[in-house]
Amino acid sequence: MADIIIKNGYILTMDPSADNIKNGVVVIEDGRITDVCEKTEETADTVIDAQGSVVMPGFVNTHTHAGMTLFRGYADDLALSDWLENHIWPAEVELTGSDVYAGTRLACLEMIKSGTIAFADMYFFMDEVGKVVESSGLRAALSYGMIELWDEEKGKRELKEGKSFVNEWNGKADGRISAMYGPHAPNTCSKEFLMKVREQATEDNAKIHIHVLETEAELNQMKEQYGMCSVNMLDSIDFFGPDVLAAHCIWLSDGDMDILRNNNVNISHNPVSNMKLASGIAPVTKLLDRGANVCLGTDGCASNNNLGMFEEMKAAALLQKVDTMDPMALPARQVLEMATVNGAKALDINSGMIRKGYNADVIIVDMNKAHLNPLYDVPSHLVYSAGSSDVRTTIVNGKVLMDDYGVVCMDEQKVIDEARDAAADLISRVDAKK
Ligand SMILES: O=c1[nH]cnc2c1ncn2[C@@H]1O[C@H](CO)[C@@H](O)[C@H]1O
Ligand SMILES: [Zn+2]
């Protein structure tokens, strides 16, 4: 007997080797998808009727700072350097482990409700984040954000903290958690420090998550300091590889794109954050045309201001169209791939497709809504019309985390209340220091 059978749904497989099924069945056992078919004789403990819904792989949010939900709407409409240096970093000084715990719980709740099954996070107090992910049931690739600022002693402490997190958490929660090294960016970490991180990551068999060329200011600073851009500098120290997840990658030359592609670097595109902070437009279509693995991320809630992947998909598609002045650029199907298949590849998880043997990381999207009718093309609706609140069921690793709009893995109201209280207390401490 199987654990879960989902029936009567439109199965959007995202599997290049399998067609979608108009009225199909997904069978789940021991955390895996064991069958994808038109009909089954199999029985299960739980049978989910997905009538009028789309059954699809859940989203992978490949760049976020989950704990930053506490700063949602705290400092908007500012330039990135002003926003980060004068508002966010001074507030982050006051952050405690329990703040990050509460903020990350809120983030996980929001992600489960909006169909995200896995996320890549870079933040502080990562033990707290690990605990939250472990109990929430989600998957995550977590990293302690190391900021060295050309201070050798600080660099040693940061690397030590990064390493102890990796050693403790990599592979935890039945493999749902992986731990990465998270050097913040090439303009906040020295070349020497980044070389040490690269070496350590290889030694520990851990991946690397880093911001790359998010701003033109970074490009200018790098040129001044090293006579070359971040991508060339990182390439010169053999930093790149398929185990690197580079967020943003906006200010790229054609040569930089070739370097990223040839080294199989995973590129996390964050269109909403990039637009909100006016960071620029990443050359996504050019990267995809080269065969680079480009996935999607929301960035933190202080620069988005939510963790919804539907909104991110739509923004990605529209931004490429207006940037290239080509309405055919980045079509719906390709954006969906970025949000599922490519994200799973970046995090090296067996998810992102509804396929036999893959992780049972499945969402059910309710299409019986005013804004989703009539229905001609499923990918079109998912990218251009659907929203976070259309997800009715979220399953991760074969466990139902949200069942027909009801979150079952945590007490929703309690999570919201605790995050609200933590934020109020945090901001009053920040204000008291002013
Ligand atoms: O868009 C961004 N660009 C650069 N840094 C960011 C952005 N969003 C958040 N952080 C910062 O990165 C660190 C993560 O450990 C935090 O300091 C966070 O505020
Ligand atoms: Zn970021």
Side-chain angles (χ1 to χ4, degrees):
M1 190 150 98
D3 296 326
I4 302 172
I5 290 178
I6 306 170
K7 57 175 197 182
N8 297 330
Y10 179 101
I11 319 290
L12 179 71
T13 64
M14 294 310 294
D15 179 350
S17 66
D19 289 334
N20 298 328
I21 308 174
K22 272 207 173 118
N23 186 341
V25 175
V26 178
V27 183
I28 294 170
E29 208 177 322
D30 288 333
R32 297 286 167 90
I33 294 170
T34 53
D35 204 3
V36 185
C37 52
E38 304 230 349
K39 266 201 174 77
T40 185
E41 298 299 312
E42 185 87 60
T43 55
D45 292 333
T46 305
V47 177
I48 298 173
D49 189 348
Q51 178 82 44
S53 303
V54 170
V55 180
M56 62 176 286
F59 302 116
V60 182
N61 183 348
T62 53
H63 182 68
T64 193
H65 313 279
M68 292 185 86
T69 50
L70 297 189
F71 300 119
R72 193 195 317 266
Y74 171 66
D76 291 324
D77 308 323
L78 299 166
L80 191 134
S81 57
D82 181 20
W83 169 76
L84 209 52
E85 287 159 30
N86 301 323
H87 298 270
I88 298 300
W89 283 349
E92 283 180 338
V93 170
E94 295 298 320
L95 270 180
T96 64
S98 66
D99 292 335
V100 172
Y101 183 87
T104 306
R105 288 252 289 174
L106 185 66
C108 288
L109 173 62
E110 185 183 347
M111 287 191 272
I112 289 162
K113 294 196 71 160
S114 53
T116 292
I117 54 95
F119 65 104
D121 199 51
M122 179 202 290
Y123 213 50
F124 314 118
F125 299 102
M126 295 308 293
D127 289 332
E128 302 300 317
V129 178
K131 283 185 225 161
V132 173
V133 173
E134 190 161 28
S135 67
S136 72
L138 283 169
R139 274 180 214 287
L142 307 177
S143 60
Y144 168 69
M146 302 180 288
I147 303 180
E148 177 233 22
L149 299 172
W150 283 264
D151 175 339
E152 216 182 309
E153 285 310 307
K154 185 170 162 60
K156 277 185 193 153
R157 289 196 302 274
E158 291 287 81
L159 191 56
K160 197 170 160 218
E161 172 115 26
K163 182 172 170 51
S164 77
F165 178 71
V166 164
N167 292 348
E168 185 174 343
W169 287 92
N170 208 1
K172 264 217 174 157
D174 298 326
R176 280 190 289 112
I177 296 177
S178 66
M180 306 170 84
Y181 279 95
H184 180 259
N187 63 338
T188 52
C189 296
S190 71
K191 183 168 154 178
E192 293 68 32
F193 181 73
L194 292 165
M195 288 167 79
K196 280 190 198 131
V197 172
R198 175 66 270 181
E199 207 176 297
Q200 197 62 61
T202 304
E203 199 180 304
D204 293 343
N205 200 16
K207 296 183 173 45
I208 300 177
H209 190 172
I210 184 170
H211 296 95
V212 175
L213 287 173
E214 181 180 11
T215 60
E216 195 174 19
E218 174 182 335
L219 177 64
N220 294 334
Q221 186 188 324
M222 298 298 290
K223 279 189 176 161
E224 208 166 288
Q225 203 167 348
Y226 301 111
M228 59 179 96
C229 79
S230 310
V231 170
N232 284 291
M233 187 280 277
L234 291 168
D235 191 38
S236 77
I237 59 169
D238 286 329
F239 189 88
F240 290 130
D243 57 355
V244 173
L245 174 59
H248 304 301
C249 297
I250 295 172
W251 294 89
L252 303 177
S253 67
D254 284 353
D256 297 337
M257 291 184 228
D258 292 336
I259 291 172
L260 295 175
R261 164 67 190 94
N262 293 338
N263 286 284
N264 296 306
V265 173
N266 303 287
I267 299 152
S268 178
H269 176 46
N270 296 218
V272 173
S273 170
N274 297 162
M275 287 194 276
K276 185 160 182 277
L277 294 167
S279 305
I281 306 174
V284 171
T285 47
K286 283 187 176 175
L287 286 162
L288 286 168
D289 286 348
R290 278 174 166 75
N293 188 44
V294 187
C295 42
L296 270 189
T298 58
D299 214 347
C301 271
S303 61
N304 186 299
N305 292 355
N306 63 55
L307 302 170
M309 290 292 283
F310 282 102
E311 191 178 293
E312 211 63 40
M313 288 196 294
K314 182 168 181 174
L318 301 190
L319 187 55
Q320 287 307 302
K321 292 176 199 305
V322 74
D323 185 40
T324 57
M325 286 306 282
D326 175 6
M328 289 179 289
L330 206 57
R333 165 88 206 180
Q334 206 173 10
V335 189
L336 270 171
E337 271 169 20
M338 290 169 67
T340 55
V341 183
N342 299 4
K345 186 177 176 200
L347 269 51
D348 198 14
I349 52 178
N350 231 358
S351 310
M353 290 183 212
I354 304 292
R355 186 186 211 171
K356 197 172 164 175
Y358 270 49
N359 293 328
D361 295 348
V362 179
I363 62 171
I364 305 178
V365 184
D366 194 346
M367 304 305 270
N368 189 28
K369 301 273 178 92
H371 61 280
L372 298 174
N373 278 281
L375 173 60
Y376 303 107
D377 179 58
V378 169
S380 162
H381 269 15
L382 293 172
V383 172
Y384 297 120
S385 297
S388 291
S389 52
D390 298 325
V391 179
R392 58 193 288 186
T393 297
T394 302
I395 299 170
V396 179
N397 210 26
K399 296 254 165 6
V400 179
L401 305 186
M402 178 169 73
D403 179 22
D404 212 14
Y405 297 102
V407 175
V408 290
C409 60
M410 51 178 91
D411 178 341
E412 191 169 346
Q413 194 56 56
K414 188 164 171 259
V415 171
I416 294 171
D417 290 342
E418 286 176 1
R420 197 196 291 118
D421 290 347
D425 203 70
L426 169 64
I427 298 309
S428 70
R429 295 198 305 275
V430 175
D431 287 343
K433 283 250 173 121
K434 276 184 187 159

